[in-house]
Amino acid sequence: MKIAVIGTGYVGLVSGVCFAETGVNTICVDIQEEKVQQLKNGEVPIYEPTLDILLKRNIKEERIIFTTNLKEAVQQATIIFLALPTPESEDGSADLSYVLNMANELSQIITDYKIIVNKSTVPVGTAAKVQAIFDKKCTTKVDVVSNPEFLREGYAVEDFLKPDRIVIGSSSEQAITLMKKLYAPFVRQGNPVIIMDEKSAEMTKYAANSFLALKISFMNEMANLAEKVGADINDIRKGIGTDNRIGNRFLFPGIGYGGSCFPKDVKALQSISKEYDYDFKIVNAVIDVNQKQRELFFQRMQAKIDLQGKKIAIWGLAFKPNTDDIREAPALYLIDELLKYETKIHVYDPEAMENVAKKYSQKINFGGNMYEILENADALIIVTEWNTFRTPDFNKMKSLMKSPCIFDGRNLFELQDIEEEGFEYYSIGRKEIKND
Ligand code: NAD
């Protein structure tokens, strides 16, 4: 079996490499020449644990190749995956131009039976739109399949190799049979391959991401209320998470969700609802709460210290740990706000500094390690819960900082520890520790 994957970003590259790992001959296509060259050399352009090992192995075994030549790739493959961007448009809807332009381009190339599998997150009805393009422009049969991807950045390889489920939206028996065969190595332990129609598959992805975002926004609101009534959100989280109807995941309050998926996908679901004249109240609230959460965090900082001209250190820039992805990262919001107060911003992140440097260049300072940036700092903000920040040397921190003050957007530390260490400490949904 030979497959092509178009787009070698977080989804496309991981998918391509993992399919190759099961013995499938895989051709990956991207328009970025530099990226393709890097990949040919076995270099992974993103940070994703273990991906480099698998990439090198599969290049060596000649199971995966990279090219910018779309035609060559498509002619050789029967199954063609689209892992193209679907960014947020100005009106909040998903921008489908990458997917639809590609469908038009492919329709000029295709001369025999192909299965076009859409892995990008797309609004309901997209598979039908893409199918219509092929039906109109191709003389040969083309089956369009919706196959949403659920991998998490930071655990992408693990998630792809051992998925909770595979969702396949198709009405073609031929396509379903081939898709099941392709995915069989990943579901040997019995995890389900769920077959449904294309529209339901497209909606499943939005439902999953919006539900997870809902859990986060719910916990953020609960944390805000817990603070007001003098309760501790950490205890509440444990108290409800042990109820297996609720489950203990995605219950951590914080500074709000970010990333390349949740913000745009929840907004896209809101936009789909509007299009179908449905007032999806919960989805509207999830978005509002998320925006408010980062604003509340900043407002608290403003209330506690006079930010003008101060030195502020930031631990963590990526939208979550184990990735270098900074799309919609809360850290960027905080940096933008702090810059309005002419603060001297010093940041450290184990993987995301290069991406942030492209955006801010000289405006902020990048540290060589997590302690270096604390020297003479008036406060530390913790934005990403990298493991490396979880058990710091508090004495070293105190000796370096001008004032031992922490604004923790991820609740990394136990209140008792931090109190004993003598820090002023503001976290989410817990009591404030002041050292006056
Ligand atoms: P990405 O921006 O990391 O990668 C997209 C790639 O497509 C880039 O390498 C780009 O150069 C390439 N590309 C653009 N136009 C092209 C063209 N005409 N021909 C060939 N290549 C082209 O995006 P991503 O994060 O991998 O996301 C892709 C899709 O998957 C999106 O719809 C996203 O919502 C969805 N998704 C993402 C994740 C995630 O965690 N990142 C998870 C599940 C689903």
Side-chain angles (χ1 to χ4, degrees):
M1 194 165 345
K2 213 165 201 177
I3 66 163
V5 180
I6 305 175
T8 59
Y10 288 87
V11 168
L13 183 58
V14 172
S15 308
V17 168
C18 291
F19 281 128
E21 185 70 9
T22 66
V24 173
N25 281 314
T26 306
I27 313 172
C28 293
V29 188
D30 207 288
I31 35 166
Q32 295 183 50
E33 303 226 353
E34 202 187 318
K35 196 176 205 179
V36 168
Q37 197 48 53
Q38 260 183 302
L39 289 164
K40 280 182 176 171
N41 296 338
E43 294 160 27
V44 178
I46 51 171
Y47 176 74
E48 194 55 61
T50 72
L51 187 56
D52 53 338
I53 301 166
L54 269 67
L55 174 69
K56 285 196 180 80
R57 180 159 68 216
N58 284 286
I59 291 176
K60 194 164 161 243
E61 303 282 337
E62 296 179 355
R63 285 190 298 249
I64 193 164
I65 57 168
F66 296 91
T67 179
T68 51
N69 190 329
L70 180 70
K71 191 171 178 182
E72 206 175 87
V74 167
Q75 279 171 344
Q76 293 179 54
T78 306
I79 304 180
I80 298 156
F81 283 89
L82 308 185
L84 294 165
T86 49
E88 189 182 323
S89 306
E90 266 177 30
D91 64 359
S93 65
D95 173 359
L96 280 182
S97 57
Y98 290 88
V99 172
L100 296 179
N101 290 343
M102 181 53 67
N104 277 306
E105 224 176 307
L106 288 172
S107 70
Q108 313 287 321
I109 301 172
I110 289 172
T111 52
D112 57 353
Y113 176 65
K114 303 285 182 204
I115 302 172
I116 307 295
V117 186
N118 190 23
K119 263 214 169 300
S120 300
T121 303
V122 291
V124 66
T126 304
K129 276 188 193 156
V130 173
Q131 185 71 61
I133 292 173
F134 292 118
D135 290 350
K136 192 171 163 204
K137 298 192 175 171
C138 292
T139 47
T140 176
K141 186 181 168 204
V142 175
D143 282 327
V144 175
V145 171
S146 168
N147 172 218
E149 180 50 57
F150 300 98
L151 62 76
R152 298 163 298 166
E153 284 177 23
Y155 301 90
V157 171
E158 195 182 319
D159 286 349
F160 200 93
L161 292 175
K162 291 182 185 164
D164 288 341
R165 78 307 206 181
I166 302 290
V167 170
I168 295 174
S170 174
S171 42
S172 155
E173 280 309 319
Q174 191 176 359
I176 292 168
T177 306
L178 275 172
M179 290 296 288
K180 278 185 168 169
K181 199 170 166 195
L182 184 64
Y183 273 113
F186 304 100
V187 291
R188 284 174 53 247
Q189 286 172 340
N191 287 0
V193 176
I194 308 169
I195 310 293
M196 56 182 81
D197 63 68
E198 297 85 341
K199 283 184 179 175
S200 305
E202 288 165 343
M203 279 296 266
T204 299
K205 176 65 188 175
Y206 285 116
N209 273 4
S210 300
F211 191 77
L212 294 170
L214 163 81
K215 279 183 104 172
I216 295 172
S217 278
F218 177 84
M219 285 307 282
N220 282 338
E221 288 235 278
M222 194 50 86
N224 298 340
L225 182 60
E227 245 174 72
K228 283 190 188 293
V229 304
D232 188 313
I233 192 66
N234 218 13
D235 291 333
I236 300 169
R237 177 180 62 76
K238 290 178 198 157
I240 63 169
T242 40
D243 182 331
N244 59 25
R245 292 171 303 175
I246 295 173
N248 56 15
R249 299 173 70 184
F250 273 80
L251 294 183
F252 289 86
I255 185 175
Y257 60 76
S260 65
C261 292
F262 284 6
K264 83 169 171 63
D265 292 349
V266 184
K267 281 194 200 145
L269 183 59
Q270 184 184 49
S271 166
I272 295 168
S273 311
K274 276 190 197 147
E275 196 187 324
Y276 285 82
D277 212 10
Y278 181 72
D279 181 18
F280 204 145
K281 291 191 174 62
I282 291 181
V283 160
N284 299 340
V286 168
I287 296 166
D288 288 349
V289 170
N290 197 57
Q291 180 57 30
K292 195 97 201 132
Q293 194 67 7
R294 53 182 68 180
E295 289 168 11
L296 283 173
F297 187 82
F298 189 72
Q299 282 160 14
R300 162 138 48 188
M301 283 177 53
Q302 280 176 309
K304 300 297 173 191
I305 51 174
D306 174 12
L307 292 168
Q308 196 64 37
K310 294 285 187 324
K311 175 173 175 179
I312 306 291
I314 299 181
W315 280 0
L317 300 167
F319 83 92
K320 66 173 187 176
N322 294 320
T323 182
D324 60 347
D325 197 342
I326 58 160
R327 290 177 279 187
E328 298 282 329
L332 306 187
Y333 165 81
L334 292 176
I335 291 171
D336 288 338
E337 290 303 305
L338 287 169
L339 284 173
K340 292 179 190 164
Y341 292 83
E342 292 163 345
T343 49
K344 297 175 208 69
I345 305 172
H346 291 248
V347 301
Y348 174 74
D349 185 285
E351 293 296 337
M353 289 201 288
E354 211 178 301
N355 285 336
V356 172
K358 284 181 206 153
K359 195 170 157 59
Y360 291 96
S361 58
Q362 307 300 318
K363 286 189 190 155
I364 62 175
N365 307 283
F366 297 88
N369 64 57
M370 61 194 257
Y371 294 108
E372 193 183 295
I373 61 167
L374 297 180
E375 199 174 341
N376 228 10
D378 293 282
L380 164 68
I381 312 176
I382 302 175
V383 194
T384 317
E385 65 276 33
W386 284 94
N387 267 341
T388 180
F389 302 145
R390 286 185 188 275
T391 5
D393 182 339
F394 287 117
N395 284 332
K396 191 169 174 180
M397 288 170 72
K398 264 186 304 185
S399 68
L400 286 166
M401 293 177 76
K402 192 167 169 188
S403 53
C405 174
I406 302 175
F407 293 90
D408 182 355
R410 300 294 173 190
N411 286 359
L412 287 197
F413 309 127
E414 294 296 333
L415 293 180
Q416 199 184 336
D417 293 348
I418 213 86
E419 197 158 20
E420 281 167 15
E421 295 291 347
F423 280 87
E424 188 176 334
Y425 183 67
Y426 304 100
S427 55
I428 311 284
R430 303 187 296 173
K431 88 172 180 197
E432 296 183 345
I433 308 287
K434 295 180 192 147
N435 281 301
D436 10 66

